[in-house]
Amino acid sequence: MSALTRWLRGPWGTPIISGLLIVVAAILSLTVGVNPFGSGHQHGLGVELEGPAPLVASALFMIAAALVAGIPIILKAVRALMVKVIAIDLLVAIAAVGALIIGQYWEAAAVTFLFAIGHALEAGTMNRTRSALAELVAVAPDVAVVMREGEQVEISAAQVRPDETVLVKNGAKVPVDGIVIGGTGALDEASITGESIPVEKGEGDQVFAGTISGGGFLQVRATGIGADTTLARIIHRVEEAQDAKARTQTFMERFSTWYTPGIILLALITGLLTGNVVLALTLLVIGCPGALVISIPVSIVAGIGRGAKDGILIKGGEYLETSAKITAVALDKTGTLTEGKPYLTDVTVLDPALDRADVLGWAARAEAGSEHPLARPLIDAAASEGLPTHGLPEHTEPVPGKGIVATLEGRRVAVGNLPLLAAEDISEDRGAAAEVDRLAGLGRTPMVVTLDGRVIGVVAVADRIRTDAKEMIARLHAAGVTQVVMLTGDNRRVAEAVAAEVGVDEVRAQLLPEDKLTVVQQLQSEGYTVAMVGDGVNDAPALATADIGVAMGAAGSGVAIETADIALMKDDLLRLPQAIGLARSTVSVMRQNIAIALITVIALLVGVFAGGVTMAIGMLVHEGSVLLVIVNAMRLLRRREQQSTHRPTTPASPRTAQDVVEEQIV
């Protein structure tokens, strides 16, 4: 099929043919000195189709132009009526048929031709705004090279088996989600995270289907295939999101179901009262809410598409609208504002009969049976100092909000905060309270260690603050967020030290998982629209209750992609203010488009009753407003670079809360 044939069979075929017929009609009319664009049978083309042959031929061509463009419109109107929907196509169909009956051939041709152009523009625009989805589909891999029976075999990507070894060579697309088991290379992950800088991959690293090798050679163990890949989930999510309706769009559609019959009734009453059929038909044309109908969906599709290109998945139009209203953001400290990789900083011995190795050894072995995130730094530190850490305690008992109690070699070991001492009925703290206070004042997280009911020491860990945490908070404020709240189960002194560094507005410390839900509900009761950023595990209740739940670094989590209201594919703090800014821009464009559409309709109504606005002029202005609405929405597709006002000019090393407090002391 040639390009011309495809073009003619596409949305532009009808207006092209209709337009050519109008041009031929105009040329024939001009050959006898008649204005082809006159209105009424007294001017231009007559009702009786009498006169010179060129004039009669011109009228027939104009009628043909109206029929070519009008028949598809009439068919759409009839199909809509069959399902009890009065669509705007019906307004145009009635006006065009009426114009033909009373001899307004040019008006009929012009109205249907311009309306067909509007349909073609809308179809083309929706395809263009869905370009993000098309690009994602385009990067989906077709083939894979796998190792089978010691040989390299090229197969369809869908035929790769779980745990099979896939080879990724320079320039090839990664066909599956998987783990690197050999080799090194650089992958372009823009299709997943929106990040254009290639990411170095080595043994143990995760890779995603659809990413492209920019060098090196990787052996990958397949963990996700076909519909189970991150790319497939993203495509599914974007497809659903672009079809999901915003509340404003739903309202506009309900409004349209009453507005369109109202315009028909207004035209009928006007025609009966004035006896002016042309005026009634003109009202039908200028009352078409074309720009109003397309104003919201084109904006939503463009906004969600732009987000997808930047690694920001928004669940749908409703969530995009809500995101634009966010006034409070609740953030977990560990893993969000900090790197989430604490390390051991202090071991204080409080039992003179023991030494550092004893305190650290007992603490590390007790924590071996704990799932607490602070267990890992103790175990790693003990292992690095050559202390035994293998094996598990005979018994482990977590104490929610306080710590852990374990039985080791028949001895009872407890590791946790000061309230744990009361839970263990230990009244003599041997100075543990003072040491905990000192370490907390330095921005560290202290834990008391007890052995058989007596305090033997205090260990402390610290986390590093992310280098872009402060800039993220500043950008959130710039984006219109008035309250940034840090939520943490950590010591208040530690939490306040981090808060002072990054600039959050409020600190809620020493929280249990269920307390985070309470904080979110409290913020909502105070009138805030709340976004909660969490990991979806112990934050699940708070994420579900918040107006918008945000998952960060969701590329490795299929559940987060499917369930989060906003999924930030890359673990990048600055994506959060970018997402809120995009939502605000999209809603702003929606409002602008609604204003353009309403002002156009009102101006045309005034123009009709004041005189001077014909059917053709009305439709021309309408399609002009449709084009303006489309162009306005297309602005959202442009990538807007975030201006950094806080990023250091030279790379800064990660800092701990301890560093912050020590600076304050100095």
Side-chain angles (χ1 to χ4, degrees), residues 433-463:
E435 182 64 7
V436 165
D437 188 61
R438 183 186 74 83
L439 292 170
L442 293 174
R444 307 169 196 179
T445 301
M447 293 172 283
V448 181
V449 184
T450 73
L451 179 64
D452 293 333
R454 71 181 194 279
V455 174
I456 62 171
V458 177
V459 294
V461 298
D463 199 355

Side-chain angles (χ1 to χ4, degrees), residues 130-142 173 191-192 209-210 226-243 304-305 308-309 312-315 558 561-562 569:
R130 291 182 187 275
S131 60
L133 184 58
E135 289 173 13
L136 285 171
V137 172
V139 301
D142 299 319
K173 292 179 183 176
S191 59
I192 303 296
D228 292 329
T229 65
T230 298
L231 178 64
R233 293 190 188 98
I234 293 173
I235 291 172
H236 176 66
R237 170 55 66 218
V238 174
E239 192 173 36
E240 282 190 336
Q242 290 188 332
D243 289 335
I304 288 174
K309 288 183 178 181
I312 300 169
L313 298 187
I314 301 174
K315 201 170 186 178
I561 292 173
E562 294 295 335
M569 303 309 294

Side-chain angles (χ1 to χ4, degrees), residues 94-115:
I94 294 172
V97 171
L100 286 173
I101 291 172
I102 65 173
Q104 298 277 349
Y105 305 139
W106 152 244
E107 297 287 358
V111 165
T112 53
F113 166 68
L114 290 170
F115 195 70

Side-chain angles (χ1 to χ4, degrees), residues 546-606:
D547 298 286
I548 293 292
V550 182
M552 191 172 294
S557 171
V559 174
I561 292 173
E562 294 295 335
T563 60
D565 300 329
I566 296 180
L568 307 178
M569 303 309 294
K570 187 182 179 186
D571 190 15
D572 180 355
L573 292 179
L574 301 185
R575 288 281 198 259
L576 179 58
Q578 184 182 350
I580 295 174
L582 175 64
R584 293 190 193 281
S585 296
T586 303
V587 170
S588 176
V589 167
M590 285 167 51
R591 290 171 179 164
Q592 293 164 15
N593 285 348
I594 291 170
I596 291 169
L598 291 177
I599 290 170
T600 300
V601 171
I602 293 169
L604 285 174
L605 281 171
V606 172

Side-chain angles (χ1 to χ4, degrees), residues 17-102:
I17 296 172
S18 178
L20 289 173
L21 291 171
I22 290 173
V23 170
V24 172
I27 293 172
L28 289 170
S29 184
L30 289 171
T31 60
V32 292
V34 175
N35 175 15
F37 310 121
S39 59
H41 64 271
Q42 289 87 2
H43 307 284
L45 307 175
V47 175
E48 297 81 6
L49 293 180
E50 296 175 353
L55 194 58
V56 173
S58 176
L60 292 173
F61 272 106
M62 203 68 83
I63 293 170
L67 292 174
V68 166
I71 287 175
I73 298 170
I74 293 171
L75 292 175
K76 287 181 182 177
V78 171
R79 282 196 293 266
L81 283 173
M82 290 175 67
V83 292
K84 300 179 181 179
V85 174
I86 300 177
I88 62 173
D89 299 85
L90 183 62
L91 298 180
V92 179
I94 294 172
V97 171
L100 286 173
I101 291 172
I102 65 173

